[in-house]
């Protein structure tokens, strides 16, 4: 099955600095890579995603890069703000062994703290 | 945002109790999921339903029993749980479980404590 590893587990940055979170995946057939943000006590919410036919995608201060050859993808947040403080999860989608459905396998999460 | 709603938000139960978690989605999606979120662990997929049919069961103990009476509702029946089952249980939905790239929308979760 798929295995997604995420680093670092905790990350502290000064407000205005950039933050980078990295994930690796094991299943070369994975073709969709979303990132979720979970604020304290709230639900995980999709913030950006990328498909395997694209190398980079950007949405304002957030960008995601994908290296299919190396099987890793990264989240980049520029000009960080205190409200960016949250747990960020990467995920990769792969097919169930039965072939009946696709599932998201999540990384273990990164606690990002933006210091004012 | 009330696309996926879960009740109760908090539940404390003894190991011999029987309780149920409820989830309802108002997004017109065909797929619903139960995830378990424990401290310092990745989100673990428990069950997947597509159009009320269970598609996958990720080796979940039988003390967790899902039920999907229709495409908008999903239950998780709990019986004789263990303290290590204490966690946040997240319900989610997506348009189609068979296609990659479907955004998964999560509910706020039900915090379960087993004493």
């Amino acid at each position: 099955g798929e295995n997604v590893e995420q680093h670092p587990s905790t990350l502290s940055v000064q407000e205005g600095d950039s933050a980078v979170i990295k994930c690796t995946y094991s299943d070369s057939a994975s073709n969709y890579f979303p990132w979720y943000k979970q604020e304290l006590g709230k639900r995980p919410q999709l913030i950006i995603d990328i498909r395997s036919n694209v190398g980079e995608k950007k949405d304002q201060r957030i960008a995601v890069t994908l290296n299919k050859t190396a099987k890793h993808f990264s989240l980049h947040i520029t000009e960080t703000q205190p409200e960016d403080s949250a747990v960020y999860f990467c995920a990769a989608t792969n097919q169930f062994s039965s072939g009946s459905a696709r599932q998201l396998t999540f990384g273990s999460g990164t606690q990002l703290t933006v210091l004012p | 945002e009330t696309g996926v709603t879960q009740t109760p938000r908090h539940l404390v139960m003894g190991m011999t109790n029987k309780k149920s978690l409820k989830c309802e989605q108002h997004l017109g999606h065909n797929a619903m999921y139960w995830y378990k979120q424990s401290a310092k662990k990745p989100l673990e997929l428990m069950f997947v339903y597509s159009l009320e049919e269970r598609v996958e069961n990720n080796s979940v103990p039988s003390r967790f029993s899902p039920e999907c009476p229709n495409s908008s509702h999903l239950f998780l029946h709990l019986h004789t749980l263990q303290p290590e089952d204490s966690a946040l249980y997240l319900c989610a939905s997506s348009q189609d479980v068979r296609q990659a790239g479907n955004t998964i929308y999560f509910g706020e979760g039900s915090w379960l404590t087993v004493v």
Side-chain angles (χ1 to χ4, degrees):
Chain A
E2 176 68 281
N3 183 42
V4 177
E5 294 196 1
Q6 182 171 347
H7 299 280
S9 57
T10 60
L11 178 61
S12 292
V13 299
Q14 288 295 137
E15 183 176 358
D17 288 351
S18 295
V20 180
I21 303 170
K22 298 181 179 181
C23 288
T24 60
Y25 61 99
S26 60
D27 187 350
S28 57
S30 291
N31 57 7
Y32 174 65
F33 307 91
W35 286 87
Y36 283 81
K37 174 184 180 182
Q38 186 176 27
E39 297 177 21
L40 188 63
K42 296 195 173 181
R43 74 187 80 197
Q45 291 192 291
L46 178 74
I47 56 170
I48 195 167
D49 56 16
I50 192 167
R51 298 172 193 273
S52 58
N53 58 347
V54 176
E56 184 175 357
K57 183 176 178 180
K58 191 173 181 181
D59 182 4
Q60 298 183 339
R61 296 186 297 110
I62 295 173
V64 57
T65 59
L66 171 65
N67 184 328
K68 284 182 60 182
T69 303
K71 289 190 280 189
H72 67 69
F73 56 113
S74 300
L75 178 71
H76 305 253
I77 306 174
T78 59
E79 300 171 28
T80 53
Q81 301 167 3
E83 52 265 37
D84 294 329
S85 296
V87 178
Y88 291 81
F89 293 95
C90 64
T93 190
N94 62 293
Q95 198 145 10
F96 284 115
S97 55
S98 65
S100 58
R102 307 189 71 86
Q103 68 165 337
L104 275 182
T105 301
F106 284 86
S108 54
T110 296
Q111 173 67 62
L112 173 65
T113 303
V114 179
L115 304 169
Chain B
E1 185 181 336
T2 58
V4 182
T5 56
Q6 289 186 240
T7 55
R9 294 295 315 280
H10 299 270
L11 177 62
V12 179
M13 61 185 289
M15 289 189 283
T16 59
N17 290 161
K18 286 184 182 181
K19 297 286 184 183
S20 296
L21 306 180
K22 178 183 176 182
C23 177
E24 183 174 358
Q25 60 98 358
H26 309 274
L27 301 170
H29 288 164
N30 292 329
M32 296 189 77
Y33 312 76
W34 280 115
Y35 282 86
K36 177 183 178 182
Q37 187 174 30
S38 305
K40 300 187 179 181
K41 278 189 173 182
L43 282 159
E44 301 171 59
L45 179 63
M46 300 175 72
F47 301 103
V48 183
Y49 276 83
S50 176
L51 294 170
E52 303 124 57
E53 285 189 33
R54 191 187 307 181
V55 175
E56 288 289 340
N57 172 351
N58 262 6
S59 302
V60 178
S62 59
R63 57 186 184 269
F64 295 93
S65 174
E67 179 190 357
C68 188
N70 56 62
S71 59
S72 299
H73 293 85
L74 185 65
F75 295 89
L76 188 62
H77 303 301
L78 315 169
H79 182 221
T80 59
L81 296 191
Q82 304 298 311
E84 58 265 29
D85 296 322
S86 299
L88 177 66
Y89 289 84
L90 288 160
C91 175
S93 71
S94 71
Q95 183 60 49
D96 184 348
V97 73
R98 289 174 174 78
Q99 292 184 9
N102 280 274
T103 300
I104 288 185
Y105 295 86
F106 287 93
E108 295 284 6
S110 294
W111 285 98
L112 173 66
T113 303
V114 182
V115 298

